[in-house]
Amino acid sequence: MTATLTPTDPPTATPPPASPARTGRERIALGVLLAGTAVLYLWNLGASGYANSFYAAAVRAGTRNWEALLFGSLDTGNTITVDKPPASLWVMALCGRIFGFDSWSMLVPEALMGVATVALVYAAVRRVSGPRAGLLAGLAMALTPVAVLMFRFNNPDALLVLLMVGAAYATVRALEKAGTRWLVLAGVLIGFAFLAKLGQALIVLPALALVYLITAPTGFWRRVRQLLLGGLAMVVSAGWYVALTEIWPADSRPYIGGSVGNSLLQLALGYNGLGRIFGSSDNPGGGGGFPRGGGGAASGFPGGGSGGGIGAALGGGEVGIGRMFSTEIGGQVAWLLPAALALLVAGLWTTRRAPRTDPTRASLILWGGWTLVTMVVFSFAEGIFHSYYTVALAPGIAGLVGVGGHELWRHRATWPGRATLTVVVAGTAAWAWVLLGRSATFLPWLRWVVVALAVIAVVALLVPVSGRQWAGAGLLAVVLAGVAGPAAYAVDTSITPHTGSIPTAGPATAGGRGGFPGGFPGGGAPGQGTPGDGRQRGAGGGRGIGEEAATDPALAALLQASTTKWSAATVGAMGGAELALSSDTDVMMIGGFMGSDPAPTLQQFQAYVAAGDVHYFVEGGGGFGGGPGGPPNADQLLEQVPQNVRDSPQFEQFLDQARRGGFPGGGGDSSTITEWVKANFASSTVGGRTVYDLTKHT
């Protein structure tokens, strides 16, 4: 009897073996890895205070009002939301409801997400390449400096990365036996990642879909049907919330911050979608407040164009293929990036004759696709781009290091394999020498340690000496040579408090820009901090964008004594969030993040004042981190930008709006509200700030 294969018949390749049981030694090693990660991510966590006060204010509101929790409102009065979906806020706010709202209850969930991410990277790689490869991948993930930063911070990136890695793990499980349930789970996780940070969650989708379509051990059309089911699961898990906000009557929910037309769907497609890739000046809240760039590019600043733009101006490095290796980005995430790319090529070559369903090649396609797509999108994004976004690149690099490193190590007995491994080790050490040289005053001896370790590793690889001890020593030298640099940056990141909207990992780098050219505002106000060092070093450190100086106690006490619905109103969340957190009262943040959203309108604000819902108006809330006196830093900003930008009419418009506490392009009423308040109410100076009593007409 003969059998005929049809196009839908499964291939005859041997199914992958079941994942081996963990030995006692592996359990100990895994325990050490996860415990070490927990210490690294939790150590002195409270020193960062409320970290990014913009999100902290929304977390505080969510602990006190269920509607604010549902929508991610900046205050319990539900005036306006943050400019992202609220999934990450749900986690932090629910924790705050259980344990009480403070820095620890907000940041500990983020750190634990980091530990879980490392565990999932380990598990996904282990199932294909074994425990050593899994441990190596987990170690690479744990020690990536930008990962240490973001898993100790309250931005949405922690939940985003955890869910994306969870989707990758589910895909690995689905590939073992063409499991539909695992693939559907992957779609669900990507959908919820979308509710953490919208379009960025979809960057890894091509890699997940492609690897399943190519390598899953079942017929082609069944693979297609399964992928469609996974896509449907993704749409449902993300779409329910988008539909909820679109259906909910707009006049009975907060304004969707950062959107045009009060729409979360538009926010996803615009400011937090295509606007990030191609640049946009049409949106308020974040992106639309900046003038359109020169040269026909919507790059955010005059003269931005190709190779410049708002992303570069805000410490995101110049647009182009070298962005991930730039001074701003390299030390954050790229320590093992050249090695990962080389291991991807080597691994695909060694598995070129393997069956279509080969697990190793499938894993290389998964992590390689993740890395390449993310790298290309980030490198050429012309919209708003910050260096910390690259935390989404870290899992792909870690996966390639684990899987590709294991595959190349298996071939070290052959001259091609040994030579390739030697080049990878030497190249990684040379790249670490370059990166460490950018922070020349930071542990200057470490460069030589890396060189010494690399020499030992190269000798161990090239000298044909047999024996497990010699091989073990060589492997240890290879690993240490690769992780010594990022480990030092990771520890430095862990012991350094970080606040503001644009934090950076590791020590300051020569020539780096933490904000606008010259270092402001990512590195603090002019004359403070170190250019390019967009992080806090305790009291007196430079402030990042969106982080004001602490509210004066007298002003905080004044707001605390208020009994109105909102103790005060101020333009923008940059200053409003700090006021709310310092006084533990509700502060209306007019215009949202940048003060440019049309919420509330002048008529709405006048109605609130007439109803006695707002007691004070605090001037100087908007602008780029305006100090205790408000936005006069707009004039200092003029001194910190290049002459060609300074002379631009668009920048003059930007500067004028910054002085008044808002930004052009958003269509908000922040300036007219400010002018109306000044014309109608008495003012006084409290704690260095001009305060208007909205209960006393002039």
Short mmCIF file of all heavy atoms in Angstrom, two decimals, residues 174-214:
data_model
loop_
_atom_site.label_atom_id
_atom_site.label_comp_id
_atom_site.label_asym_id
_atom_site.label_seq_id
_atom_site.Cartn_x
_atom_site.Cartn_y
_atom_site.Cartn_z
N ALA A 174 4.45 27.06 20.60
CA ALA A 174 3.57 26.71 19.48
C ALA A 174 4.35 25.99 18.39
O ALA A 174 3.80 25.09 17.72
CB ALA A 174 2.92 27.98 18.93
N LEU A 175 5.60 26.35 18.17
CA LEU A 175 6.41 25.74 17.12
C LEU A 175 6.74 24.28 17.40
O LEU A 175 7.03 23.52 16.47
CB LEU A 175 7.71 26.53 16.94
CG LEU A 175 7.58 27.88 16.25
CD1 LEU A 175 8.89 28.66 16.37
CD2 LEU A 175 7.20 27.70 14.78
N GLU A 176 6.70 23.87 18.66
CA GLU A 176 7.09 22.50 18.99
C GLU A 176 6.12 21.47 18.40
O GLU A 176 6.55 20.46 17.85
CB GLU A 176 7.17 22.36 20.52
CG GLU A 176 8.29 23.16 21.15
CD GLU A 176 8.29 23.10 22.66
OE1 GLU A 176 7.32 22.52 23.24
OE2 GLU A 176 9.23 23.63 23.28
N LYS A 177 4.84 21.74 18.51
CA LYS A 177 3.85 20.77 18.02
C LYS A 177 2.72 21.44 17.24
O LYS A 177 1.61 20.92 17.17
CB LYS A 177 3.26 19.98 19.19
CG LYS A 177 4.28 19.13 19.94
CD LYS A 177 3.63 18.38 21.08
CE LYS A 177 4.66 17.52 21.82
NZ LYS A 177 4.05 16.78 22.96
N ALA A 178 3.03 22.62 16.67
CA ALA A 178 2.03 23.37 15.91
C ALA A 178 0.79 23.61 16.76
O ALA A 178 -0.34 23.40 16.33
CB ALA A 178 1.66 22.65 14.62
N GLY A 179 1.01 24.07 17.99
CA GLY A 179 -0.09 24.25 18.93
C GLY A 179 -0.87 25.52 18.70
O GLY A 179 -0.32 26.63 18.84
N THR A 180 -2.13 25.39 18.39
CA THR A 180 -2.97 26.55 18.13
C THR A 180 -3.16 27.40 19.38
O THR A 180 -3.14 28.63 19.32
CB THR A 180 -4.35 26.09 17.61
OG1 THR A 180 -4.16 25.31 16.41
CG2 THR A 180 -5.23 27.28 17.29
N ARG A 181 -3.34 26.75 20.53
CA ARG A 181 -3.58 27.50 21.76
C ARG A 181 -2.41 28.40 22.10
O ARG A 181 -2.58 29.54 22.54
CB ARG A 181 -3.88 26.53 22.91
CG ARG A 181 -5.22 25.80 22.75
CD ARG A 181 -5.48 24.90 23.94
NE ARG A 181 -6.75 24.19 23.81
CZ ARG A 181 -7.23 23.33 24.70
NH1 ARG A 181 -6.53 23.07 25.81
NH2 ARG A 181 -8.38 22.73 24.50
N TRP A 182 -1.20 27.88 21.92
CA TRP A 182 -0.02 28.70 22.21
C TRP A 182 0.06 29.88 21.26
O TRP A 182 0.44 30.99 21.66
CB TRP A 182 1.25 27.86 22.13
CG TRP A 182 1.49 27.00 23.33
CD1 TRP A 182 1.39 25.64 23.40
CD2 TRP A 182 1.89 27.44 24.63
NE1 TRP A 182 1.69 25.20 24.68
CE2 TRP A 182 2.00 26.29 25.45
CE3 TRP A 182 2.15 28.68 25.20
CZ2 TRP A 182 2.38 26.35 26.79
CZ3 TRP A 182 2.53 28.75 26.54
CH2 TRP A 182 2.63 27.60 27.32
N LEU A 183 -0.30 29.68 20.02
CA LEU A 183 -0.24 30.77 19.05
C LEU A 183 -1.31 31.82 19.36
O LEU A 183 -1.07 33.03 19.22
CB LEU A 183 -0.42 30.23 17.63
CG LEU A 183 0.06 31.17 16.51
CD1 LEU A 183 1.54 31.44 16.62
CD2 LEU A 183 -0.26 30.56 15.15
N VAL A 184 -2.48 31.38 19.77
CA VAL A 184 -3.52 32.31 20.18
C VAL A 184 -3.06 33.10 21.40
O VAL A 184 -3.30 34.32 21.51
CB VAL A 184 -4.83 31.56 20.47
CG1 VAL A 184 -5.84 32.46 21.17
CG2 VAL A 184 -5.43 31.02 19.17
N LEU A 185 -2.40 32.42 22.35
CA LEU A 185 -1.88 33.12 23.52
C LEU A 185 -0.88 34.20 23.11
O LEU A 185 -0.87 35.31 23.67
CB LEU A 185 -1.22 32.13 24.47
CG LEU A 185 -0.54 32.74 25.72
CD1 LEU A 185 -1.55 33.52 26.55
CD2 LEU A 185 0.15 31.66 26.54
N ALA A 186 -0.03 33.88 22.14
CA ALA A 186 0.91 34.88 21.65
C ALA A 186 0.18 36.11 21.12
O ALA A 186 0.57 37.26 21.38
CB ALA A 186 1.81 34.29 20.56
N GLY A 187 -0.91 35.89 20.38
CA GLY A 187 -1.69 37.00 19.88
C GLY A 187 -2.32 37.82 20.99
O GLY A 187 -2.34 39.05 20.95
N VAL A 188 -2.83 37.15 22.02
CA VAL A 188 -3.42 37.85 23.16
C VAL A 188 -2.38 38.73 23.85
O VAL A 188 -2.66 39.89 24.20
CB VAL A 188 -4.03 36.84 24.15
CG1 VAL A 188 -4.43 37.52 25.46
CG2 VAL A 188 -5.24 36.14 23.53
N LEU A 189 -1.18 38.20 24.04
CA LEU A 189 -0.14 38.96 24.73
C LEU A 189 0.29 40.18 23.92
O LEU A 189 0.53 41.26 24.48
CB LEU A 189 1.06 38.05 25.02
CG LEU A 189 0.78 36.95 26.05
CD1 LEU A 189 1.97 35.99 26.13
CD2 LEU A 189 0.49 37.54 27.41
N ILE A 190 0.40 40.04 22.61
CA ILE A 190 0.74 41.19 21.78
C ILE A 190 -0.39 42.23 21.84
O ILE A 190 -0.14 43.44 21.87
CB ILE A 190 1.00 40.77 20.33
CG1 ILE A 190 2.30 39.97 20.23
CG2 ILE A 190 1.08 41.98 19.41
CD1 ILE A 190 3.54 40.76 20.56
N GLY A 191 -1.63 41.75 21.89
CA GLY A 191 -2.75 42.67 21.99
C GLY A 191 -2.70 43.50 23.27
O GLY A 191 -2.91 44.72 23.24
N PHE A 192 -2.40 42.86 24.38
CA PHE A 192 -2.29 43.61 25.63
C PHE A 192 -1.04 44.48 25.66
O PHE A 192 -1.02 45.54 26.30
CB PHE A 192 -2.33 42.66 26.83
CG PHE A 192 -3.73 42.31 27.25
CD1 PHE A 192 -4.33 41.15 26.83
CD2 PHE A 192 -4.45 43.18 28.06
CE1 PHE A 192 -5.63 40.83 27.20
CE2 PHE A 192 -5.75 42.88 28.44
CZ PHE A 192 -6.35 41.71 28.01
N ALA A 193 0.02 44.06 24.97
CA ALA A 193 1.19 44.92 24.83
C ALA A 193 0.83 46.19 24.08
O ALA A 193 1.36 47.28 24.35
CB ALA A 193 2.32 44.18 24.11
N PHE A 194 -0.09 46.08 23.12
CA PHE A 194 -0.59 47.24 22.40
C PHE A 194 -1.26 48.22 23.36
O PHE A 194 -1.16 49.44 23.19
CB PHE A 194 -1.59 46.78 21.33
CG PHE A 194 -2.10 47.89 20.45
CD1 PHE A 194 -1.40 48.29 19.32
CD2 PHE A 194 -3.32 48.52 20.74
CE1 PHE A 194 -1.89 49.31 18.51
CE2 PHE A 194 -3.81 49.52 19.93
CZ PHE A 194 -3.09 49.93 18.81
N LEU A 195 -1.93 47.70 24.38
CA LEU A 195 -2.58 48.56 25.37
C LEU A 195 -1.59 49.14 26.36
O LEU A 195 -1.97 49.94 27.22
CB LEU A 195 -3.66 47.78 26.11
CG LEU A 195 -4.83 47.29 25.26
CD1 LEU A 195 -5.87 46.59 26.13
CD2 LEU A 195 -5.46 48.44 24.49
N ALA A 196 -0.33 48.72 26.27
CA ALA A 196 0.71 49.33 27.09
C ALA A 196 1.37 50.49 26.36
O ALA A 196 1.63 51.54 26.94
CB ALA A 196 1.76 48.30 27.48
N LYS A 197 1.68 50.30 25.06
CA LYS A 197 2.39 51.36 24.34
C LYS A 197 2.05 51.39 22.86
O LYS A 197 2.88 51.79 22.04
CB LYS A 197 3.90 51.21 24.54
CG LYS A 197 4.63 52.55 24.53
CD LYS A 197 6.10 52.39 24.84
CE LYS A 197 6.79 53.75 24.76
NZ LYS A 197 8.24 53.63 24.87
N LEU A 198 0.87 50.97 22.52
CA LEU A 198 0.35 51.07 21.16
C LEU A 198 1.28 50.46 20.12
O LEU A 198 1.70 49.32 20.26
CB LEU A 198 0.02 52.53 20.84
CG LEU A 198 -1.12 53.13 21.70
CD1 LEU A 198 -1.31 54.61 21.40
CD2 LEU A 198 -2.42 52.39 21.49
N GLY A 199 1.60 51.20 19.07
CA GLY A 199 2.24 50.64 17.89
C GLY A 199 3.57 49.97 18.12
O GLY A 199 3.97 49.09 17.34
N GLN A 200 4.30 50.36 19.16
CA GLN A 200 5.60 49.74 19.39
C GLN A 200 5.48 48.24 19.64
O GLN A 200 6.40 47.48 19.35
CB GLN A 200 6.32 50.42 20.55
CG GLN A 200 7.77 49.97 20.69
CD GLN A 200 8.53 50.73 21.75
OE1 GLN A 200 8.16 51.84 22.14
NE2 GLN A 200 9.61 50.15 22.25
N ALA A 201 4.34 47.81 20.16
CA ALA A 201 4.14 46.39 20.42
C ALA A 201 4.11 45.58 19.13
O ALA A 201 4.40 44.38 19.14
CB ALA A 201 2.84 46.18 21.19
N LEU A 202 3.78 46.20 18.03
CA LEU A 202 3.61 45.48 16.76
C LEU A 202 4.93 45.30 16.01
O LEU A 202 4.96 44.61 15.00
CB LEU A 202 2.61 46.22 15.87
CG LEU A 202 1.24 46.50 16.49
CD1 LEU A 202 0.34 47.20 15.48
CD2 LEU A 202 0.60 45.22 17.00
N ILE A 203 6.00 45.91 16.50
CA ILE A 203 7.28 45.80 15.79
C ILE A 203 7.76 44.36 15.72
O ILE A 203 8.37 43.94 14.73
CB ILE A 203 8.33 46.70 16.48
CG1 ILE A 203 7.95 48.18 16.31
CG2 ILE A 203 9.72 46.46 15.89
CD1 ILE A 203 8.91 49.13 16.99
N VAL A 204 7.49 43.55 16.76
CA VAL A 204 7.97 42.17 16.76
C VAL A 204 7.01 41.23 16.03
O VAL A 204 7.34 40.06 15.83
CB VAL A 204 8.19 41.66 18.20
CG1 VAL A 204 9.21 42.53 18.93
CG2 VAL A 204 6.88 41.63 18.98
N LEU A 205 5.87 41.73 15.64
CA LEU A 205 4.87 40.87 15.01
C LEU A 205 5.37 40.20 13.73
O LEU A 205 5.12 39.01 13.53
CB LEU A 205 3.60 41.69 14.73
CG LEU A 205 2.34 40.90 14.40
CD1 LEU A 205 1.99 39.96 15.55
CD2 LEU A 205 1.18 41.86 14.15
N PRO A 206 6.10 40.90 12.85
CA PRO A 206 6.60 40.21 11.65
C PRO A 206 7.48 39.02 11.96
O PRO A 206 7.40 37.98 11.29
CB PRO A 206 7.39 41.31 10.92
CG PRO A 206 6.77 42.59 11.38
CD PRO A 206 6.39 42.35 12.80
N ALA A 207 8.33 39.13 12.99
CA ALA A 207 9.21 38.01 13.35
C ALA A 207 8.40 36.82 13.84
O ALA A 207 8.67 35.66 13.46
CB ALA A 207 10.21 38.46 14.41
N LEU A 208 7.41 37.06 14.69
CA LEU A 208 6.61 35.97 15.24
C LEU A 208 5.80 35.28 14.14
O LEU A 208 5.72 34.04 14.10
CB LEU A 208 5.67 36.50 16.32
CG LEU A 208 6.31 37.23 17.51
CD1 LEU A 208 5.25 37.60 18.54
CD2 LEU A 208 7.41 36.41 18.15
N ALA A 209 5.21 36.07 13.26
CA ALA A 209 4.40 35.48 12.20
C ALA A 209 5.26 34.75 11.17
O ALA A 209 4.91 33.65 10.72
CB ALA A 209 3.58 36.59 11.51
N LEU A 210 6.39 35.35 10.81
CA LEU A 210 7.24 34.75 9.78
C LEU A 210 7.82 33.42 10.24
O LEU A 210 7.82 32.44 9.47
CB LEU A 210 8.37 35.72 9.42
CG LEU A 210 9.30 35.26 8.29
CD1 LEU A 210 8.52 35.15 6.98
CD2 LEU A 210 10.48 36.22 8.15
N VAL A 211 8.29 33.35 11.48
CA VAL A 211 8.91 32.11 11.93
C VAL A 211 7.87 30.99 11.98
O VAL A 211 8.18 29.83 11.66
CB VAL A 211 9.59 32.30 13.29
CG1 VAL A 211 8.58 32.51 14.42
CG2 VAL A 211 10.48 31.10 13.62
N TYR A 212 6.64 31.30 12.36
CA TYR A 212 5.63 30.25 12.40
C TYR A 212 5.23 29.83 10.99
O TYR A 212 5.08 28.63 10.72
CB TYR A 212 4.39 30.72 13.16
CG TYR A 212 3.51 29.56 13.55
CD1 TYR A 212 3.78 28.83 14.71
CD2 TYR A 212 2.46 29.14 12.75
CE1 TYR A 212 3.02 27.72 15.06
CE2 TYR A 212 1.69 28.05 13.09
CZ TYR A 212 1.97 27.34 14.25
OH TYR A 212 1.23 26.24 14.58
N LEU A 213 5.09 30.78 10.11
CA LEU A 213 4.71 30.46 8.74
C LEU A 213 5.76 29.59 8.04
O LEU A 213 5.43 28.69 7.27
CB LEU A 213 4.49 31.75 7.94
CG LEU A 213 3.97 31.59 6.51
CD1 LEU A 213 2.58 30.97 6.52
CD2 LEU A 213 3.94 32.94 5.80
N ILE A 214 7.02 29.82 8.36
CA ILE A 214 8.10 29.09 7.68
C ILE A 214 8.37 27.74 8.32
O ILE A 214 8.56 26.74 7.63
CB ILE A 214 9.40 29.94 7.68
CG1 ILE A 214 9.22 31.18 6.81
CG2 ILE A 214 10.58 29.12 7.17
CD1 ILE A 214 10.41 32.12 6.84
#
